[in-house]
Amino acid sequence: MQVVKYVFQPHGDERGQLVALEEFRDIPFKIKRVYYMYDTKQGVTRGFHAHKSLEQILICIHGGCKVLLDNGYEKKVVPLEKPYEGLYVSNNMWREMFDFTSDAVLMVLASEVYDENDYIRDYEEFKKNVEDTNEH
Ligand code: T46
């Protein structure tokens, strides 16, 4: 499984750093939603689902966390700890986010608005979905 990490261009000067993200330029899709999680309690793992069609870029803009990606055949753990790095998470990819530092802010840029029907929350259903997709 290939992990796709984007390294964004920081516009730094003597005042500090600034990262700008534009759809189709820095981000490979139209950004329809931005959300972020913070104050994540120690030891918590979030996620445990895949999406039918949603694509996302995860950026830990403060602190750090880890993301487990699982394409149904292979799993990889990706650390996110730099505010100028983004992890691309495609559809049909199981994800779990864990090891959040107490100061972590995980921001997500999403290709679609929120839709509960797009979630696959059952791991067996996810695996079947992956197998069905690869058969066709
Ligand atoms: C994902 C990972 C990386 C909304 O009302 N609107 C939203 O846009 C989102 C994302 C969530 N919510 C509500 C639904 C729940 O009541 O916020 C609550 C927490 O959401 P959830 O349990 O889905 O959070 P995570 O951290 O398990 O997953 C989230 C995203 O839902 C998911 O798409 O890929 O972050």
Side-chain angles (χ1 to χ4, degrees), residues 49-115:
H49 58 257
H51 280 280
K52 292 174 193 164
S53 62
L54 187 72
E55 296 174 86
Q56 305 191 105
I57 299 265
L58 276 56
I59 309 167
C60 204
I61 55 173
H62 196 258
C65 70
K66 293 193 178 82
V67 183
L68 177 137
L69 295 178
D70 176 353
N71 65 4
Y73 301 104
E74 205 184 332
K75 299 178 190 196
K76 277 209 175 141
V77 172
V78 184
L80 279 182
E81 52 206 13
K82 299 197 172 79
Y84 54 83
E85 274 186 4
L87 173 65
Y88 174 74
V89 183
S90 68
N91 64 329
N92 269 329
M93 184 74 78
W94 190 265
R95 80 285 318 267
E96 296 171 18
M97 302 84 75
F98 61 102
D99 265 7
F100 287 83
T101 58
S102 56
D103 58 350
V105 182
L106 179 61
M107 183 176 81
V108 182
L109 310 181
S111 65
E112 297 296 338
V113 296
Y114 181 65
D115 177 8

Side-chain angles (χ1 to χ4, degrees), residues 9-68:
Q9 175 70 58
H11 302 280
D13 59 27
E14 64 284 355
R15 297 168 298 175
Q17 304 295 332
L18 185 154
V19 172
L21 302 174
E22 294 184 17
E23 56 195 20
F24 300 126
R25 194 157 136 162
D26 310 282
I27 303 299
F29 49 75
K30 184 164 177 59
I31 303 164
K32 290 204 183 160
R33 178 168 51 117
V34 177
Y35 62 91
Y36 49 90
M37 51 200 86
Y38 63 97
D39 199 20
T40 308
K41 305 306 173 208
Q42 294 297 288
V44 159
T45 301
R46 305 188 63 120
F48 297 105
H49 58 257
H51 280 280
K52 292 174 193 164
S53 62
L54 187 72
E55 296 174 86
Q56 305 191 105
I57 299 265
L58 276 56
I59 309 167
C60 204
I61 55 173
H62 196 258
C65 70
K66 293 193 178 82
V67 183
L68 177 137

